[in-house]
Structure formats: structure tokens, C-alpha cells
Amino acid sequence: MSSKKRMLLPALALAVTAALSGCTQGGSAGEAGSKTINIYQGKVEISDQLQEMKQVYEKSHPGVTLNIQSVGGGTDYAASLKSRFSAGAQPDIFTISGFQERDLWLEYLEDLSDQPWVAHMDQVSKDPMSAEGKLYGFPLNYEGYGFLYNKDIFKEAGVTEIPKTLSELEDAAKKIKDAGYTPFVNAYAEWWVLGNHNVNVPFARQDDPEAFMTKLDEGSADIVNNKIFDGWLDLLDLTLKYGNANPLTTDYNTQMSTFANGEAAMTQQGNWVQPTLDGINPDLNVGMMPMPISDDAQANDKLFVGVPTYWVINKDSPVKEEAKELLDWMAGTPEGQQFLTEKFQFIPAFNHIKTNTEEIGPLGSDLIAYIQDGKALNWYFQQLPIGTPQDYANQMQSYIAGRDTREQLLNNLQASYDNLKVR
């Protein structure tokens, strides 16, 4: 798009105790007129919980079967989804991100503007999936990320305050290393850890991210000479200096097991991993903290918040009315809302759904506190030119491997943006 519609940070109305098997083509009719809704989704963290939801939903909706396939983690969900459509195995419900991915998939999407749950969406969750006055997506949740940290390791190592500057973070890493722990476990084998969440840091930390990206489009700003990008690389270098061996072959599953088992003190992830951590170590004393890129504590003391994905309905699905009923059940019934909050441990993107913060775990609770305090920044990687995050990840991996210098990396990031932007 020549002009990007930027996301505005939500002013979430949060109360004190509240926060917010393969896939066949289309739906199918089975015995005695039963119908199957094929769901292809990318959040592997809730795959078990979705299977539980399947059982509950099918029991209360006789004649409807949910065929849910979860793809993600070490698999490129976006690429696998494209392969499904190319092969003619189109799901009835699938997940995409907003903005650029919305435009990429728009011809396949059912208009959901008239659905009852739309009235309970804040504008920030509408914008990424709105086009020409229509809404095309069901927002699963708000999510946020930063560094996760093991509170028990911090205490044992004598780190008494959450590091909010780059210098404080290095001091903490030294203490943790001296205490016999790996300070950081880095899953830099995963493109999205780098190309989505990590590279979002310098974009979101610009004084005016929207203006900066517009100037990048126009060619009047550049990444190479931007001080914030330089500070961001200082942070990346620090995670490598005090990180695990072989970060480029460390995948998501290894990252989670290493961190949950108390072998590393910090790792870059978000509140969406709470179910995964609970499954490995339910007693893990975990919190979420900022990703500092300078010695300005106030500027650094932020987490990054956005709507990660939307469930959308294939407009050509023969069971799209049944698919709409499922989404309405998830947002509009106590049973469905329980899955969004308690089971999935999500922060709902619907302002009528309330949940006790204890139900969503410590990571969600920390995130809510940051949102309530106005200390949250947006996700801008969803608005980068299509293909840029994956390209950025490749370039960052080359830098991590020692093949490129810092200057070469910054020049490569700029060249990638220039090559992929819509002229």
C-alpha cells in the first residue's frame, strides 16, 4: 500500500480484577447430514486446548465436527497456508495477520461486519482487518512480548531490580553468569523471533514510528544512520555475548524447554507461551520485562502489544454459516469465553469479556499492568512490506553467524526495505 494505516495503541478498559487429521478442501457433509468445519491455525501453543474446545463444542452442536490443524513453531505457517490453497485444500477457517496479510488474502475473505461480536471490538483491533468499510477478521486476543525472566534465578544471582537500561541488563547478565546460569537462551533459528518481534523494537522505539515508516517509503529517512537501530544492535550483541551456544540452531521448542527447566534466566518471548511453560514446569516463577536499547530507563520501560492473528472465514466455504456460528459461540457464550481466557490464557480483544488476572498467568498479568500504566508500544512488523520480516531474519542470521558486519547488516536492512516496498 502506498499509504499505510498505522495501528493506534488501545485504550483498554481494564477493571482491577479484569483484563480483558489434515485439512481437507472446504467444509464437508458426513453421515446423516453432519458438517465438518476445517480449521487451519498457527498458534501451536493452544493446540491441546483447541482439541478440548472441539469436544465441548461438538457436544453442544450435534451434527457439527471441528477438524482443527495447528501449524507453527518450527514450521512456517504462512508458507504452509499458501501451499494449502495452491493445492486446492482450502480450509473453512484460517488465521492471518492484519494489514499486509489482510490485503494479500482479501479476495478469499468473508465479510464479517454484521457479526454480533463486532460491536465489542476496540478500533485498534478493527483497523488491521478493515478494508473499504468492511471487517474481515475475528481477533483472538491481545498479546505482548519482551524478555521473560526467571525470578528465582534473578534472586539467587542477586539481581534485585528489573533491568531497564542496557547497562543494567549487562550487569544483571554478568551476575547471572557468575551464579552458574546461562543469562539468555536465544532461539535465533526461528525467523519470526528475529524478523517479527526482535526487529520491531527499533521501529516501535522511533519518536514517531508512523512518520519514520512513511519517510522510509519516500526515501527521506534511512536505517543505516538511525541511532535507535544502532542501540538495538547493541542489545542483540549483548544477548549473543551472554547467550547460549549455537543460537542459530536453537528452535522454539528447545528455547522453551531450556527456559522452563531453569537452565537460562531470560529469553525473548511473549505471554502466548504461558501454556507451554505451564506444561513443562507449572511451578516456574516467571515474569516479563522490557528490552532496553539505551541507558534511558523511562524510554526503555515498555512492552510491545498488538493483535497477533485473526481467524477469518473462507468466503467460498460451503459451511461458512456454521463457521460464523462457531466464532459467535467463542465470543458470546460463557463456555466460549472461558476458552479464550482461562483455557487459552488470552487477554481478550473484546471489551465485554472480563477475566480474573490470575487465570491468564503471570505473563499476562505483567502485560496487563504495563498496558494499564500506559507503557506499551505497538507492533509495526505487520506493516512492513510483504516478505520483509523473513528477509530481515535471514540478514540478521548472517550477522549472528559472523558473516556480515554491523554496517553491512544495516545496509542490507535498508536495501531490503527499498526493494520490497510498494513504489
Side-chain angles (χ1 to χ4, degrees):
M1 294 181 292
S2 58
S3 62
K4 297 182 175 71
K5 185 159 189 173
R6 311 296 184 190
M7 236 186 336
L8 299 176
L9 191 66
L12 300 181
L14 298 172
V16 174
T17 60
L20 323 164
S21 256
C23 193
T24 58
Q25 169 145 14
S28 60
E31 295 182 3
S34 64
K35 296 183 177 181
T36 297
I37 303 172
N38 292 302
I39 302 170
Y40 198 68
Q41 72 93 31
K43 294 191 71 60
V44 295
E45 297 86 2
I46 59 169
S47 57
D48 291 341
Q49 293 85 344
L50 282 170
Q51 292 303 317
E52 183 181 351
M53 187 184 81
K54 163 187 165 71
Q55 301 299 324
V56 172
Y57 189 79
E58 290 176 354
K59 185 175 181 180
S60 62
H61 292 75
V64 175
T65 299
L66 304 183
N67 178 32
I68 305 172
Q69 186 168 5
S70 301
V71 176
T75 302
D76 188 335
Y77 169 81
S80 69
L81 179 63
K82 291 177 183 178
S83 296
R84 289 280 177 181
F85 273 78
S86 297
Q90 300 181 7
D92 306 299
I93 294 175
F94 55 100
T95 57
I96 62 172
S97 300
F99 294 110
Q100 299 283 13
E101 285 200 359
R102 169 203 63 203
D103 295 340
L104 182 66
W105 291 97
L106 193 58
E107 64 180 293
Y108 298 100
L109 305 184
E110 175 75 1
D111 179 9
L112 301 174
S113 305
D114 63 348
Q115 295 302 292
W117 40 264
V118 174
H120 302 292
M121 292 173 63
D122 293 315
Q123 194 62 40
V124 68
S125 61
K126 291 181 179 179
D127 284 348
M129 285 302 296
S130 295
E132 299 178 351
K134 299 178 180 179
L135 180 75
Y136 293 94
F138 176 97
L140 277 185
N141 61 322
Y142 285 120
E143 288 184 348
Y145 69 92
F147 283 137
L148 312 189
Y149 69 103
N150 185 313
K151 295 181 179 181
D152 292 334
I153 294 179
F154 268 45
K155 183 177 181 180
E156 183 179 339
V159 181
T160 58
E161 300 288 338
I162 295 176
K164 295 179 181 177
T165 70
L166 202 57
S167 297
E168 290 173 354
L169 184 61
E170 181 155 23
D171 287 343
K174 289 177 181 176
K175 291 179 180 179
I176 291 164
K177 185 176 181 180
D178 290 343
Y181 297 96
T182 300
F184 292 94
V185 55
N186 303 309
Y188 293 158
E190 304 289 1
W191 75 265
W192 52 274
V193 169
L194 292 170
N196 278 351
H197 299 149
N198 197 288
V199 83
N200 182 68
V201 174
F203 281 100
R205 285 289 304 275
Q206 300 295 320
D207 291 337
D208 187 338
E210 294 183 21
F212 177 70
M213 295 179 76
T214 298
K215 289 179 179 178
L216 282 179
D217 293 340
E218 298 169 347
S220 58
D222 70 88
I223 290 171
V224 178
N225 298 301
N226 188 277
K227 291 183 179 179
I228 293 174
F229 272 84
D230 198 50
W232 161 65
L233 287 183
D234 289 338
L235 174 63
L236 180 62
D237 288 346
L238 192 150
T239 67
L240 295 171
K241 180 179 179 180
Y242 294 97
N244 54 303
N246 305 313
L248 291 176
T249 57
T250 300
D251 61 10
Y252 170 81
N253 292 330
T254 303
Q255 175 194 29
M256 288 296 92
S257 61
T258 301
F259 180 74
N261 288 323
E263 299 170 39
M266 293 175 281
T267 196
Q268 178 202 311
Q269 278 295 347
N271 65 303
W272 56 84
V273 306
Q274 188 73 64
T276 301
L277 297 178
D278 289 347
I280 300 171
N281 180 6
D283 298 322
L284 183 66
N285 192 6
V286 63
M288 194 186 308
M289 69 182 211
M291 299 173 66
I293 62 172
S294 71
D295 282 338
D296 184 340
Q298 184 175 355
N300 288 317
D301 194 19
K302 305 288 196 300
L303 297 178
F304 304 94
V305 181
V307 176
T309 54
Y310 294 77
W311 279 23
V312 297
I313 296 176
N314 185 343
K315 69 181 181 66
D316 296 322
S317 166
V319 293
K320 62 184 181 183
E321 295 307 317
E322 288 78 7
K324 291 177 183 178
E325 185 177 353
L326 169 62
L327 298 185
D328 190 31
W329 178 86
M330 291 173 68
T333 69
E335 295 84 1
Q337 292 174 7
Q338 183 184 29
F339 276 96
L340 286 177
T341 58
E342 181 180 341
K343 300 292 186 179
F344 298 166
Q345 295 178 298
F346 282 171
I347 299 173
F350 299 101
N351 54 32
H352 70 302
I353 301 178
K354 307 299 181 184
T355 182
N356 189 294
T357 55
E358 294 181 359
E359 295 177 344
I360 59 175
L363 297 179
S365 297
D366 282 356
L367 181 60
I368 289 170
Y370 267 81
I371 294 172
Q372 290 177 324
D373 291 342
K375 298 191 297 185
L377 299 175
N378 285 317
W379 292 4
Y380 291 93
F381 59 86
Q382 294 174 326
Q383 301 176 62
L384 292 172
I386 292 290
T388 306
Q390 291 86 346
D391 205 23
Y392 277 3
N394 289 334
Q395 292 158 358
M396 292 171 69
Q397 286 169 338
S398 183
Y399 171 76
I400 292 167
R403 292 191 293 269
D404 293 329
T405 65
R406 174 182 290 223
E407 182 180 4
Q408 287 172 324
L409 172 60
L410 292 172
N411 276 289
N412 288 339
L413 297 179
Q414 180 67 51
S416 175
Y417 195 102
D418 291 341
N419 290 335
L420 293 171
K421 70 183 180 182
V422 177
R423 292 175 172 81

